[in-house]
Amino acid sequence: MEFAELIKTPRADNVVLHRPFHPAVEGTLCLTGHHLIFSSRRRDNAEELWLLHSNIDSIEKRFVGSLGTIVIKCKDLRIIQLDIPGMEECLNIASSIEALSTLDSVTLMYPFFYRPMFEVLEDGWSSFLLEQEFEHLSSVTNEWRLSCVNKDFSVCPSYPPVVIVPKSIDDEALRKVALFRYGGRFPVLSYYHKKNGMVSWEDEKLINATLRSGRRGFVIDTRPLNVAQQARAKGGGFEQEVHYPQWRRIHKYIERFHILQESFIKLVEACNDQSHNMDRWLSKLEASNWLTHIKELLTAACLAAQCIDREGASVLVHGSEGTDSTLQVTSLAQIILDPRCRTIRGFEALVVREWLQAGHPFQQRCAQSAYSNSKQKWEAPVFLLFLECVWQIHRQFPCSFEFNEHFLILLFEHAYASQFGTFLGNNESERAKLKLPQKTMSLWSWVNRPEELSRFQNPIYEANSLVIWPSVAPQSLQLWEGIFLRWNRPSRFLEEAEEERINIIKYNKELQAKVNVLRRQLAEMETDGEVQQEE
Amino acid sequence: VENVRLLDRLSSRRAVVGTLYLTATHVIFVENGSETRKETWVLHSQISSIEKQATTATGCPLLIRCKNFQVIHLVIPQERDCHDVYISLIRLARPVKYEELYCFSFNPKLDKEEREQGWKLVDLNEEYNRMGVPNNYWQISDVNRDYGVCDSYPTEVYVPKSANAHIIVGSSKFRSRRRFPALSYYCKGNNASICRSSQPLSGFSARCLEDEQMLQAIRKANPGSDFIYVVDTRPKLNAMANRAAGKGYENEDNYSNIKFQFIGIENIHVMRNSLQKMLEVCELKSPSMSDFLWGLENSGWLKHIKAIMDAGIFIAKAVAEEGVSVLVHCSDGWDRTAQVCSVASLLLDPYYRTMKGFMVLIEKDWVSFGHKFNHRYGNLDGDPKEISPVIDQFIECVWQLMEQFPCAFEFNERFLIHIQHHIYSCQFGNFLCNSQKERRELKIKERTYSLWAHLWKNRADYLNPLYRSDHSQTQGTLHPQIAPCNFLYKFWSGMYNRFEKGLHPRQSVTDYLMAVKEETQQLEEELEVLQERLANLQKSQSGHNKVKSKQQDRSKQFGLYTSNNSLANTPQEYSSDLKSFPSQSPSQGDEDSALILTQDNLKSSDPDLSANSDQESGVEDLSCRSPSGGGCLPSEDSGKDSDEAVFLAG
């Protein structure tokens, strides 16, 4: 298919762009296969706006006389308005945008066309291999092994080809266990707690094999009890306690799918409400239930972390498919427990391991954002909820994370629309079929370059080796303004404050360096002096 | 009283046993046992209510609520003791004479001269000069020198030059409590001013020539504008109701060249109830997100805060952008008027956003103009209907502005919290009584100490590390966003859950940056010394001083860096679900949480187990065991001089 066929009017002049907190600008609008480009004509203050079509969540058009207006709502929650003179032009442009932003073939997406303008120092596709993680694990314990049982994705299509399993279980047993689990998703190692050798995961024999004698474990089931029981009637269900004598079950219900999506839509609606009424804002915020989901999720993650760190027990987390709430809980628990996950590199590894390789269906979940009208049942802000929980912990421990808020926002943006192939596909098997590593650029290749990385560093980071226990009380949780109010609050003063923080730290470091140089000089001169004296 | 249990509101698991002492000024709870005998001190004047609850098997619970939002839950073993404590506290918490208040016995060991110096720190004469008055338009009037015209006004009041004594006295007779229009803020740049008064006694049709002349005079004092705004900060309905009582508001037809405007801020009774409702939400035991948000909305608190801010923004805009003078009043002109005038001044003038300037602002708009501190904050036993969190709301407005303009204020959140604390503590004389007249009669300045001097002495603790006097946010008028802006107003947990440390961020960016800045300053000094020595050395090649002493200084400094990591290491109660865990021993109560689970193979019949157990399972971090209860810092204010005195090691 040629994109040109979809673009009947590639260019329109005298278009006026409206954005909140910016004066309206007049300029030229151009459509390309993947971008909407607006450039102001004023020479003194030329301005360009590049918008990926895949970032467009919904589009509305209306007419006053022959002046058409298009309102574009983006997946990153920004809303812009374009006034386009000429009814035909406007209609053409609107229908092009609609078609180009809803391409159904993955291989037509921008990552397959994107040619990077930067030098690749490190290929992000091979930055986080499970083998490396296993090497790290082997240095603390020898009870685990790498298994290639899934190398052609035949045992479990949504798992990576290589997994970490207990040493005492052979591949044949894994195959049998997989038959017993939904989608073939047999339990694999998610996190090994160095301090006391406790593990967190994702059958009878396999589970008990992970427990040395006398150890206990917890199964955290994120489904509501009645759903779990229904699933059991259908042949799914949960582990019966008689068969798992050393395990205890905890039900910690976490909402999923359309409930989350609805909550997301309601929250964004509330944030865009222009009314002056305080009561209405608070009641809409409450009615969205978003913060309730945040609180529940954080609570479940803290509980899992607590079982591991304080009870010295192993934890098995599972939901229905194990690709959503399970991943939220295991990855958040690791943020709490493991200082490595609070570094930039470690957090990237966590996202790769716990989300991409573990088979979170990004393409389905992030197909649409809060403005979409289509009611497909697969969309859900599962990853965004995870990122927000990280932000909530970050807010309570602002010195314990190597990255800053912008890094989390970046991941949110790229999960929904990106020039990189990292978040395309629903699991490793699909990514292999699409040949993403060969045909697209990895987000990590770009973000890990020193000049990019510096934008995502937290100036006040001090490595903190402790477990960090966040508060989950309502008073401790706040709306994530960086995402939800990003486009409708004035941010200048907050940015200035951030700049000020960076400057304070920078000046301190400069002084330290200067003082060190002088000290060294002095010491040298003094020893020289002593030598001379001795002579 | 011995063997008293202090309960932690967040979890019954963290109760501690100790001894309760009552002194003439404080309630003191001293923890038993552990090597770090923690102490909790509460001033009697901070107590807002005491509640004795039904006796249970473990003892008699006593709930003490404080005006600084601390809630202390004690369980006293003997009902008799509990009753005695209750009766004593009721009497002690409600003094009837000013002389009983703590400030008359509080002695920070300063001599007479230091005390006088302290009172001179904030000087309103100097402040009016700084504003630029007296000048061609404004003069100081002595009509009130013996409080003869208005007993709740200060002796020295600025009025327009064209308003003679006859006009002032005439106008005062037409105003509630004779609070005639007087200058609150003068804008040097464009001659616009903010004046304040009480409501006119206009009833349905009354007029007063002198009052009309007074408003004319205010307009004439600003030659750049041909009208003034008259802002009535009450809801229109309330103002109209007042007309029936012979009071009311200005009729635009009678006064030439005024524009009249209502801004609906509710009265003290609505505000009192609103705070009460919000505090009930704060006190909820493990509330859900919906409980909390619904309760917050239902209390209306943030709506009221926003109304006050909106009024301040309106006035600041009129003065700064339109260059129009404003006369502000409410009913008596000492509550809402004080709030609104001071918010507007704060927005207009960067000086009030400095530490010293903020003290001056409170002194000017609140203390000198007769805000009724004694009645509003219940220092002496009085009518509970007079109590209302008027200045608390102003302080919260400042905090909300600090959140929106992080670099604009020289002081930090702690400064605000400590001022709030001392408005109720009666440890210093500043906020005693209801007017300047009463304070002079009591000879406050000779018998008590000034809070401002105390805060100024410790100003290093109150600095905002992001403040720079040459930063753009510290210049000129602040322009808060007007719409849409509801989401900019947030619940202030640092104030209303001040003593629940577990709810707050565990690491403070402010403290961290303050430590860095302090280190930076030392580095600057060291750099200078090193450069000098290097130069000397290069000259003589024979310097043999020691570098070491300085290096030790620096390593000490680094200790500050690790901020509150220890606090970080305390898990909270994440689940009450865990109680369904079958192996839990029956002796443990319902609230016991996950942490207890491992204890069931220990001795399970010990009733105190729940108090001790988490220390046993608490592994490496015994030092940080109490994120609340003893962990609060009420008592830098409680008679000891400094923050360090809070927990005396036993």
Side-chain angles (χ1 to χ4, degrees), chain A residues 283-295:
Chain A
S283 69
K284 280 188 153 188
L285 179 63
E286 191 265 319
S288 80
N289 266 329
W290 183 262
L291 286 170
T292 302
H293 300 317
I294 294 287
K295 180 167 154 47

Side-chain angles (χ1 to χ4, degrees), chain B residues 395-499:
Chain B
I395 290 172
E396 174 162 344
C397 285
V398 180
W399 178 80
Q400 300 280 3
L401 280 172
M402 280 163 66
E403 288 286 291
Q404 293 178 43
F405 300 92
C407 307
F409 293 84
E410 190 191 15
F411 46 86
N412 58 28
E413 179 182 7
R414 195 177 303 146
F415 185 63
L416 297 179
I417 291 175
H418 284 188
I419 290 177
Q420 191 273 352
H421 182 97
H422 284 297
I423 282 167
Y424 292 92
S425 76
C426 302
Q427 185 177 342
F428 298 93
N430 303 59
F431 308 120
L432 243 47
C433 307
N434 292 322
S435 67
Q436 192 186 63
K437 181 170 176 244
E438 285 181 34
R439 276 187 294 275
R440 291 223 172 139
E441 283 163 3
L442 260 182
K443 297 191 178 10
I444 290 295
K445 290 194 181 182
E446 286 142 59
R447 299 166 70 191
T448 71
Y449 294 86
S450 167
L451 169 66
W452 305 132
H454 172 77
L455 294 176
W456 189 247
K457 201 177 80 199
N458 299 314
R459 62 186 172 279
D461 293 342
Y462 301 123
L463 281 175
N464 170 13
L466 299 178
Y467 178 83
R468 260 194 298 121
S469 55
D470 55 348
H471 193 278
S472 65
Q473 287 183 34
T474 60
Q475 319 297 318
T477 308
L478 288 185
H479 300 280
Q481 194 188 346
I482 300 175
C485 65
N486 296 314
F487 43 70
L488 292 178
Y489 293 90
K490 291 179 239 169
F491 172 72
W492 187 9
S493 70
M495 176 64 92
Y496 305 106
N497 285 114
R498 179 182 158 196
F499 291 92

Side-chain angles (χ1 to χ4, degrees), chain A residues 21 216 218 248 250-252 271 273-279 281-283 285-286 289 291-292 295 299 302-303 306 310-311 395-400 460-462 464 466-478 481 485 488-490 492-494 496-497 500-501 504-505 507-508 511-512 514-515 518-519 521-522 525-526 529-530 532-533, chain B residues 282 287-290 292-294 297 302-303 306 403-407 465-466 468 471-473 481 483-484 486-487 489-491 493 497 502-503 505-507 509 512-513 516-517 519-520 523-524 526-527 530-531 533-534 537-538 541 543-545 551 554 558 561 565 568-572 574-575 577-578 581-583 594-595 597-598 618 621 625:
Chain A
F21 301 107
R216 298 186 309 159
F218 290 91
R248 294 284 176 241
I250 303 167
H251 281 277
K252 196 73 210 159
C271 293
D273 182 6
Q274 303 282 320
S275 84
H276 293 240
N277 187 328
M278 195 70 193
D279 288 349
W281 157 246
L282 284 172
S283 69
L285 179 63
E286 191 265 319
N289 266 329
L291 286 170
T292 302
K295 180 167 154 47
T299 308
C302 289
L303 196 64
Q306 199 176 27
R310 294 298 165 115
E311 307 296 312
R395 207 185 69 81
Q396 296 187 28
F397 297 91
C399 305
S400 299
I460 57 173
Y461 173 60
E462 289 273 315
N464 172 4
L466 296 172
V467 175
I468 52 176
W469 299 108
S471 161
V472 296
Q475 291 98 319
S476 312
L477 303 178
Q478 284 192 358
E481 297 181 16
L485 304 177
N488 43 7
R489 68 167 177 182
R492 199 183 98 217
F493 307 117
L494 304 177
E496 283 173 355
E500 205 57 33
R501 265 174 230 131
I504 289 171
I505 303 287
Y507 180 55
N508 178 278
L511 272 181
Q512 260 173 26
K514 270 190 206 160
V515 165
L518 283 186
R519 273 204 201 124
Q521 273 184 10
L522 258 179
M525 287 177 77
E526 275 170 356
E530 277 164 26
Q532 278 171 10
Q533 274 183 354
Chain B
C282 295
S288 73
M289 203 73 218
S290 296
F292 178 74
L293 288 175
W294 191 84
E297 182 207 333
L302 288 176
K303 182 175 68 185
K306 182 169 178 285
E403 288 286 291
Q404 293 178 43
F405 300 92
C407 307
L466 299 178
R468 260 194 298 121
H471 193 278
S472 65
Q473 287 183 34
Q481 194 188 346
N486 296 314
F487 43 70
Y489 293 90
K490 291 179 239 169
F491 172 72
S493 70
N497 285 114
L503 298 179
R506 310 309 170 78
Q507 295 173 322
V509 178
Y512 182 89
L513 289 176
V516 171
K517 279 190 110 167
E519 195 207 40
T520 302
L523 282 170
E524 274 170 347
E526 193 185 347
L527 193 67
L530 284 174
Q531 275 166 343
R533 285 192 35 222
L534 203 64
L537 209 60
Q538 275 162 343
Q541 279 287 348
H544 279 281
N545 298 326
Q551 272 170 341
R554 296 223 326 118
F558 274 116
Y561 265 46
N565 280 347
N569 215 15
T570 318
Q572 310 222 325
Y574 294 117
S575 170
D577 282 12
L578 273 187
F581 193 82
S583 69
L595 280 191
L597 290 179
T598 47
D621 54 359
R625 262 299 130 183

Side-chain angles (χ1 to χ4, degrees), chain A residues 44-107:
Chain A
D44 53 328
N45 189 16
E47 218 187 325
E48 276 195 357
L49 172 82
W50 286 64
L51 199 64
L52 263 179
H53 291 316
S54 57
N55 189 7
I56 294 171
D57 206 24
S58 84
I59 165 167
E60 290 158 22
K61 48 186 186 288
R62 54 170 187 264
F63 293 93
V64 180
S66 68
L67 182 76
T69 293
I70 299 180
V71 176
I72 294 175
K73 299 182 175 179
C74 301
K75 290 177 189 166
D76 62 13
L77 307 182
R78 138 175 57 175
I79 298 179
I80 61 170
Q81 183 189 324
L82 295 167
D83 296 340
I84 302 169
M87 190 180 274
E88 199 191 329
E89 284 87 347
C90 185
L91 279 173
N92 285 343
I93 286 168
S95 66
S96 300
I97 292 174
E98 231 165 74
L100 290 168
S101 62
T102 52
L103 297 173
D104 42 10
S105 167
V106 182
T107 52

Side-chain angles (χ1 to χ4, degrees), chain A residues 1-3 6 33-34 52-54 99-100 102-114 418 424 434:
Chain A
M1 186 188 71
E2 285 294 323
F3 292 121
L6 295 175
H34 292 105
L52 263 179
H53 291 316
S54 57
L100 290 168
T102 52
L103 297 173
D104 42 10
S105 167
V106 182
T107 52
L108 292 175
M109 303 286 269
Y110 187 51
F112 286 93
F113 299 83
Y114 170 69
S418 173
L424 290 183
L434 288 167

Side-chain angles (χ1 to χ4, degrees), chain B residues 200 202 204-206 243 249-256 258 260:
Chain B
S202 53
F204 290 99
S205 59
R243 288 202 300 193
Y249 53 92
E250 291 82 355
N251 184 340
E252 273 187 344
D253 299 338
N254 297 343
Y255 293 82
S256 47
I258 68 164
F260 188 84

